[in-house]
C-alpha cells in the first residue's frame, strides 16, 4: 500500500467516526427534546402505546331479516368484532353485551339486502355501527372508545 492510500483510508475512518458521533448526538438531542418538563419520557410512552396489542370485543354471530323492496326475503348472518381503545370500554361492552346485541340487531334489520351486498354498503353499515356507540346504551356509562368495526363473518342470503 502506498502512502497516499494509507492517508485516504485514515481519512475515511475519521469521516465515518465523525458521522457516527454526529448521528448519535442528534438522536440524543431528539430524545431530550421529546421529554416533558416532569421528567416523563413521551418517546417511551409512544413506543409502549404503539407496541400494545389492540383490544377486541367479540360480538357473537347473529342472523336478521333484511328489508327488501323486492318480493324476496333476505337474511344477514354477521359476526362482528369491535376494536376498542381501552379496557374500560372492553369491560363495559362485555358487561352490557345484551344491550349491544339488541342495538346491532335493530340497526342491521333495517338495512336493505341490495346495499349489504356491496363494499360501499358494508362501509356505510360500519359507520352506522360506530355511531351507535356515540349514544348511551345505559345511563351513567363511561365514554366508550370504539375505534373500528370488523366483520368476521358476513353472509347475505
Amino acid at each position: 500500500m502506498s502512502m497516499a492510500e494509507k492517508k485516504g483510508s485514515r481519512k475515511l475512518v475519521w469521516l465515518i467516526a465523525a458521522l457516527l458521533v454526529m448521528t448519535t448526538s442528534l438522536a440524543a438531542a431528539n430524545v431530550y427534546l421529546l421529554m416533558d418538563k416532569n421528567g416523563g419520557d413521551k418517546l417511551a410512552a409512544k413506543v409502549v402505546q404503539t407496541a400494545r396489542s389492540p383490544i377486541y370485543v367479540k360480538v357473537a354471530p347473529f342472523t336478521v331479516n333484511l328489508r327488501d323492496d323486492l318480493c324476496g326475503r333476505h337474511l344477514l348472518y354477521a359476526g362482528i368484532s369491535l376494536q376498542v381503545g381501552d379496557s374500560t370500554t372492553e369491560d363495559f361492552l362485555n358487561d352490557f353485551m345484551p344491550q349491544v346485541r339488541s342495538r346491532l340487531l335493530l340497526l342491521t334489520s333495517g338495512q336493505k339486502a341490495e346495499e349489504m351486498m356491496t363494499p360501499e354498503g358494508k362501509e356505510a353499515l360500519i359507520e352506522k355501527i360506530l355511531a351507535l356507540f356515540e349514544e348511551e346504551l345505559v345511563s351513567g356509562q363511561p365514554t366508550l372508545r370504539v375505534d373500528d368495526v370488523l366483520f368476521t363473518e358476513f353472509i347475505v342470503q
Side-chain angles (χ1 to χ4, degrees):
M1 228 188 221
S2 72
M3 189 83 135
E5 288 175 344
K6 286 182 183 178
K7 274 188 177 181
S9 69
R10 278 192 206 149
K11 285 182 183 179
L12 182 61
V13 168
W14 281 107
L15 180 63
I16 291 172
L19 287 173
L20 183 62
V21 168
M22 286 188 339
T23 305
T24 305
S25 299
L26 285 173
N30 281 327
V31 169
Y32 175 76
L33 291 174
L34 289 173
M35 291 176 63
D36 68 8
K37 293 176 183 146
N38 296 331
D41 192 349
K42 289 181 184 177
L43 178 63
K46 190 166 219 126
V47 168
V48 169
Q49 183 180 14
T50 56
R52 204 176 304 151
S53 296
I55 303 170
Y56 296 104
V57 175
K58 183 177 170 60
V59 178
F62 56 88
T63 304
V64 294
N65 292 313
L66 295 173
R67 264 187 28 216
D68 197 355
D69 295 335
L70 305 173
C71 59
R73 295 172 120 182
H74 290 284
L75 297 173
L76 169 65
Y77 174 80
I80 296 174
S81 286
L82 304 170
Q83 183 177 349
V84 299
D86 55 39
S87 59
T88 302
T89 301
E90 176 188 25
D91 293 342
F92 179 86
L93 292 176
N94 283 323
D95 290 345
F96 291 90
M97 188 55 69
Q99 286 88 338
V100 171
R101 287 180 56 81
S102 177
R103 296 262 180 108
L104 288 170
L105 291 168
L106 290 172
L107 175 70
T108 53
S109 65
Q111 305 303 307
K112 291 185 177 182
E114 320 68 73
E115 293 172 0
M116 293 297 92
M117 292 182 192
T118 67
E120 295 82 15
K122 290 177 183 79
E123 287 295 327
L125 181 58
I126 288 172
E127 293 303 316
K128 290 175 186 176
I129 293 171
L130 287 171
L132 275 180
F133 296 104
E134 293 173 8
E135 302 169 16
E136 279 192 341
L137 293 172
V138 296
S139 64
Q141 78 179 35
T143 301
L144 300 179
R145 290 190 47 209
V146 178
D147 299 330
D148 200 2
V149 176
L150 305 161
F151 293 118
T152 55
E153 301 169 73
F154 199 93
I155 300 170
V156 176
Q157 192 170 1

